[in-house]
Amino acid sequence: TLRMADPEQFMPVRTVVPGVSERTEAAVLKALELARSQRWQSAVEMGQTLGLPIPMWSGQQASKQATPVRSARGGTRRILEGAVPSVPSTISSVVPSAGEPAPARQRKPAWPWVLGGVALLVLVVGFMVKGIELPATGAIPPTIKAAAQATSIPHPTATPRSAMATMPIKVAILAPMSGDVAIFGESTKNGAMVAIEEWNAKGGLLGRQIEAIVEDSQCSAEPAVSAANKVISQDGVKYIIGEVCSSASIPVSEITAAKGVLQISPTSTNPQVTVDQAGNAKPTVFRACFIDPFQGTVGAQFALTELGAKTAAVLLDQGNDYVRGLAEYFREAFEAGGGQVVVWETYTAEDSDFSAILTKVKDASPDILYLPDYYSTVNLIAAQAREVGITATMLGGDGWDSSQLDRAAVDGGYHTNHYSAADPRPIVQEWVKKYTAKYGAEPDALATLAYDAANVLFQGIEKAGKDDPLAVAKAMEGMTFSVVSGEITFDAQHNPIKSAAILQVKDGQVNFVTIIAP
């Protein structure tokens, strides 16, 4: 019934009960096929597949040859090889030949109950593990107990204690492992894996190892939703680190909030990730990074006070939640501080020729060119801006943070970020040394925030003392975390209260400038 009503919630047998053999799982799943034509055509066929003996009738093995049987209508039925003779529903449904003595009443074999019990037991265990309460049905029949022992399926009442005690705690990492910002995904995966390996080395969580499941969510809504549904429904994941981009994290958060899965995004800065349309916090959704209003405001204040800017041009991808949000908060703060936005132009993710809007920027001659996009798009716009002779100081957000940023094109520009590898704090320098030794390069903000997000999650699980996302979320709400990117406490909307770093790209290097507190 569950398979038909909600296919996404139906889990394979060995996901629920790992001890079941592949042969038993295949036999049970075939018995549960939605289409009748795909199911076993007889109990004997299923029994033979499971390796059970062919049943006996009156002390004799059932014939493997087709046997003619006279029907009441005078026709002849043939029982196919290995099939179970059907039981007549009325006395008159089958009439013996004249002069032939009536057959003695035969005892019905018990083995079909065993097969049915196996399938029923698997379903019962599946419901129990998923937390769906079944009505009481009395004691478990001995035939079901025997079948469970024969197929190595643990008794249902023992599953939560014995199986769960040894099963790993599964944590999904949703990140763009392909596409334009695949480097973001690689950094995110690397940072989270360092934390997972460290925790496993010291015993894991709650005495259980952590199992990482990495899925390519491509920083895009549709593949991210597919990845989230897959890890939740098929892999049985209760905790997700990801997604990276706000445009992917927002739809994923709708799923995790509805299904009670705890999600912590390392880097999605749009406010809508953690709150619903009414502005209420999604109970199990958190982030490890500051949000766009803070980042946009910090960028505007830095431009006004430290760079002395009076005018700014803002270019943005209107279809990207992250880019649009950052641009809007920058404009609001810049104008509130006395500055003037003289150019506000949009483009699409598919655009590669920005000459038309850059001509408007050149004509306006602003002090600041604000580019709040990811490095791949910033590289294109910045290079073309230099070609047309734009001299404005470029300014951006944490999307610039990448080893693939065109540092020559944005030379002299600044961007806000979550941390700097040049920060002298011991926790930062220890992290940089550890990551560099493992991966051969300094950790960027993506790797650092993934490491922080994983540690925040794992500390929350330890504090809660149980493998329960709701309990973990409650524990995280009241904790203070000392992580690489700074001290973190969560506000009422599950956003971390933390500082931002200002970095400058100069002569091919990215230099730490200052830290700005909230």
Side-chain angles (χ1 to χ4, degrees), residues 24 43 46 77 142 177 211 239 253 307 345 392 417-418 440 499 501:
T24 300
M46 180 179 179
R77 296 182 298 167
M177 306 308 299
E211 178 185 342
Y239 308 98
S253 71
L307 301 181
E345 291 291 332
N417 209 354
H418 304 269
S499 300

Side-chain angles (χ1 to χ4, degrees), residues 56-74:
M56 311 291 286
W57 284 276
S58 302
Q60 300 295 325
Q61 183 172 341
S63 172
K64 293 185 179 180
Q65 303 300 319
T67 304
V69 178
R70 282 286 175 189
S71 71
R73 296 179 182 176

Side-chain angles (χ1 to χ4, degrees), residues 143-386:
T143 53
I144 295 181
K145 290 184 179 180
Q149 293 171 355
T151 54
S152 303
I153 302 176
H155 188 285
T157 59
T159 300
R161 288 192 290 269
S162 61
M164 294 301 292
T166 57
M167 290 174 62
I169 292 179
K170 296 181 179 180
V171 176
I173 302 171
L174 302 190
M177 306 308 299
S178 63
D180 292 339
V181 291
I183 193 170
F184 283 177
E186 191 67 23
S187 292
T188 299
K189 182 196 72 174
N190 290 348
M193 289 305 301
V194 172
I196 290 170
E197 291 168 4
E198 288 179 347
W199 280 80
N200 279 339
K202 59 184 182 182
L205 292 169
L206 309 178
R208 296 155 60 187
Q209 290 289 285
I210 305 167
E211 178 185 342
I213 298 174
V214 181
E215 289 293 330
D216 182 6
S217 43
Q218 300 179 32
C219 259
S220 183
E222 187 173 342
V225 166
S226 296
N229 281 325
K230 184 264 182 184
V231 298
I232 295 170
S233 299
Q234 296 182 31
D235 299 312
V237 163
K238 298 180 186 177
Y239 308 98
I240 292 176
I241 298 172
E243 220 266 358
V244 171
C245 303
S246 295
S247 55
S249 281
I250 291 173
V252 169
S253 71
E254 299 297 327
I255 297 169
T256 54
K259 296 188 175 183
V261 172
L262 197 153
Q263 173 190 0
I264 180 166
S265 170
T267 55
S268 294
T269 55
N270 189 285
Q272 297 304 310
V273 171
T274 63
V275 297
D276 58 25
Q277 293 183 347
N280 300 314
K282 298 170 184 173
T284 58
V285 183
F286 295 77
R287 76 178 95 226
C289 55
F290 48 62
I291 58 176
D292 290 339
F294 175 61
Q295 185 175 196
T297 299
V298 165
Q301 290 176 347
F302 181 77
L304 290 166
T305 60
E306 299 300 323
L307 301 181
K310 302 296 184 182
T311 58
V314 180
L315 306 183
L316 67 145
D317 176 357
Q318 186 67 26
N320 187 303
D321 294 324
Y322 160 76
V323 177
R324 185 180 65 254
L326 207 52
E328 290 173 348
Y329 292 118
F330 174 87
R331 178 172 64 176
E332 181 180 343
F334 190 74
E335 292 181 340
Q340 182 182 5
V341 174
V342 293
V343 175
W344 178 272
E345 291 291 332
T346 64
Y347 53 85
T348 71
E350 292 74 29
D351 289 342
S352 58
D353 182 357
F354 303 93
S355 57
I357 57 178
L358 287 173
T359 297
K360 295 180 181 180
V361 173
K362 183 179 180 181
D363 291 344
S365 189
D367 299 321
I368 295 292
L369 173 55
Y370 192 56
L371 301 175
D373 211 324
Y374 300 121
Y375 69 91
S376 53
T377 302
V378 170
N379 288 347
L380 293 174
I381 297 175
Q384 293 178 35
R386 296 307 188 199

Side-chain angles (χ1 to χ4, degrees), residues 89-153:
S89 58
T90 65
I91 296 175
S92 61
S93 62
V94 176
V95 180
S97 301
E100 184 180 358
R105 183 175 181 180
Q106 298 173 354
R107 183 179 180 182
K108 297 178 181 178
W111 68 271
W113 292 96
V114 176
L115 291 178
V118 173
L120 176 61
L121 181 57
V122 172
L123 289 177
V124 170
V125 174
F127 275 104
M128 292 182 68
V129 173
K130 288 177 67 58
I132 301 175
E133 188 175 6
L134 293 175
T137 56
I140 299 175
T143 53
I144 295 181
K145 290 184 179 180
Q149 293 171 355
T151 54
S152 303
I153 302 176

Side-chain angles (χ1 to χ4, degrees), residues 493-506:
Q493 296 182 328
H494 294 174
N495 300 313
I497 301 170
K498 60 192 299 189
S499 300
I502 300 292
L503 308 180
Q504 183 184 28
V505 181
K506 188 66 176 176

